[in-house]
Amino acid sequence: MKQKTMRIKLNSRSIFFGFAALSASLFFSCGNTGTKNEVKTEKVEEPAEATAPTAQELSFRDKEGKVLQLSTLKGKVVFINFWATWCPPCIHELPSIDQLKQSLKDNNDIVFLLVDVDGDMEKSSAFMAENKYDLPLYIAEGDIPAEFLGQSIPTTVILDKAGKIVERLEGSRDYGAPEIKKALEDIASGS
């Protein structure tokens, strides 16, 4: 019975991420160069330097200055989108992320974090307000580990309730499809 349940979980996730990949309207991304939050890249066989935080230590600051540590979100599915106001593919996918968030607004088990990689809260807040997006905006407190953000944006990372990465997607996607909403709900419910 346990294997059957596991197979169902994998199938739901596979369907979700397969659909996300197929429904991508743009398969390109912007280079993540010269941002305040530079990514530390190291070879796997070498020990990690102490300067790059682990996923559990990663934290973000909102426009009110409140710091949110990623580890406090265990028990929730976390949808993190790394973006910038100057990145056309990032801008292209924001309406569908806003639509997805609105469709899940009553689900307290799913949290959205939109992280401006430039760290310019004033500029990104103005952009969100101008476009009437109701998306929770953050900037990273310190460096972003390479397991979250590589060399391009947009990048979306989805964490399960245990805080483990279940998917990392680079490039613009259409997140407005009903199948994506259902897949996130399935991850949140554990099915």
Side-chain angles (χ1 to χ4, degrees):
M1 181 74 172
K2 191 172 185 179
Q3 282 185 331
K4 190 173 187 178
T5 304
M6 184 69 127
R7 197 173 296 139
I8 292 169
K9 278 186 183 180
L10 291 174
N11 286 340
S12 293
R13 290 180 182 157
S14 297
I15 291 168
F16 167 64
F17 297 112
F19 183 80
L22 290 174
S23 67
S25 58
L26 297 173
F27 284 101
F28 61 92
S29 54
C30 296
N32 180 22
T33 58
T35 65
K36 172 182 145 180
N37 301 312
E38 288 192 30
V39 177
K40 303 290 182 194
T41 56
E42 294 137 8
K43 293 180 182 177
V44 176
E45 61 272 8
E46 294 177 16
E49 293 182 22
T51 57
T54 66
Q56 301 310 315
E57 298 166 342
L58 188 58
S59 57
F60 304 98
R61 184 170 28 97
D62 67 13
K63 64 181 176 181
E64 283 81 36
K66 294 178 188 169
V67 176
L68 172 69
Q69 196 159 23
L70 195 55
S71 61
T72 63
L73 296 176
K74 276 194 176 176
K76 299 193 181 283
V77 172
V78 184
F79 181 103
I80 306 170
N81 180 263
F82 296 98
W83 72 290
T85 58
W86 50 263
C87 169
C90 300
I91 293 167
H92 178 79
E93 73 178 1
L94 285 175
S96 68
I97 294 173
D98 189 59
Q99 178 185 358
L100 177 62
K101 182 189 175 286
Q102 297 315 311
S103 72
L104 293 166
K105 67 182 175 189
D106 295 328
N107 190 327
N108 295 325
D109 289 330
I110 302 172
V111 176
F112 285 77
L113 307 175
L114 273 83
V115 181
D116 176 0
V117 298
D118 286 333
D120 188 342
M121 184 61 77
E122 187 176 320
K123 185 175 182 179
S124 54
S125 292
F127 178 87
M128 290 290 185
E130 179 182 322
N131 289 284
K132 297 180 172 79
Y133 296 135
D134 183 26
L135 296 168
L137 186 59
Y138 293 86
I139 58 174
E141 286 286 294
D143 297 326
I144 302 168
E147 68 187 278
F148 281 79
L149 180 61
Q151 296 299 314
S152 65
I153 54 173
T155 295
T156 298
V157 176
I158 299 174
L159 307 176
D160 65 13
K161 286 185 167 188
K164 294 182 181 172
I165 295 174
V166 293
E167 192 63 51
R168 181 175 172 265
L169 303 164
E170 288 188 2
S172 184
R173 304 281 192 283
D174 178 2
Y175 291 103
E179 293 84 2
I180 294 174
K181 175 185 175 189
K182 181 173 180 347
L184 283 172
E185 291 172 328
D186 288 348
I187 295 168
S189 69
S191 40

